[in-house]
Amino acid sequence: VSQSRYNTYLELPANGEHPRSIAWSKTRSELYLANQGIDVYDGQGNELCNGCWTGDAYTVDADNDGNVWITSTPDFTSEGIMYKVNASNWSTIANYASGIGTSAVVDPR
């Protein structure tokens, strides 16, 4: 992972072959890795939380309000679920049906 603005390069561990998705929270200055759940790192690559959110995390995104958006895709023929999660305590705020194979969340603001 590279943050060219800060000229920082991080080598992060990941479960499985590779992280499925990576997101940076500008609000919280945290890096989120989705693979088998969500792991959280700070800007120096220090692990803040392993398995902060458990479940099948297909993709992860962060919004400007300090929330994390996680998509779960059970397979590519069934509807998935999109979770809005509070990054302060990793509680689920809401969940929504997300269609088949949802791979990103866009905050329209």
Side-chain angles (χ1 to χ4, degrees):
V1 174
S2 169
Q3 295 174 300
S4 59
R5 178 177 166 206
Y6 300 105
N7 208 20
T8 301
Y9 300 90
L10 306 174
E11 186 171 330
L12 302 170
N15 295 326
E17 293 180 21
H18 53 79
R20 290 182 180 173
S21 179
I22 298 173
W24 176 255
S25 170
K26 292 179 187 178
T27 305
R28 298 183 52 84
S29 295
E30 294 176 339
L31 184 71
Y32 306 117
L33 268 65
N35 198 8
Q36 298 168 340
I38 303 293
D39 298 333
V40 180
Y41 296 84
D42 66 16
Q44 287 72 45
N46 300 306
E47 185 176 72
L48 300 177
C49 182
N50 182 297
C52 299
W53 187 86
T54 58
D56 179 37
Y58 184 64
T59 62
V60 63
D61 286 297
D63 66 23
N64 292 330
D65 295 329
N67 299 307
V68 177
W69 293 82
I70 302 165
T71 64
S72 178
T73 302
D75 54 45
F76 289 93
T77 58
S78 304
E79 189 168 78
I81 301 172
M82 178 175 53
Y83 299 92
K84 180 180 182 182
V85 177
N86 180 326
S88 296
N89 60 16
W90 291 94
S91 63
T92 300
I93 297 168
N95 61 59
Y96 309 92
S98 66
I100 297 173
T102 303
S103 61
V105 178
V106 176
D107 188 352
R109 291 178 282 157

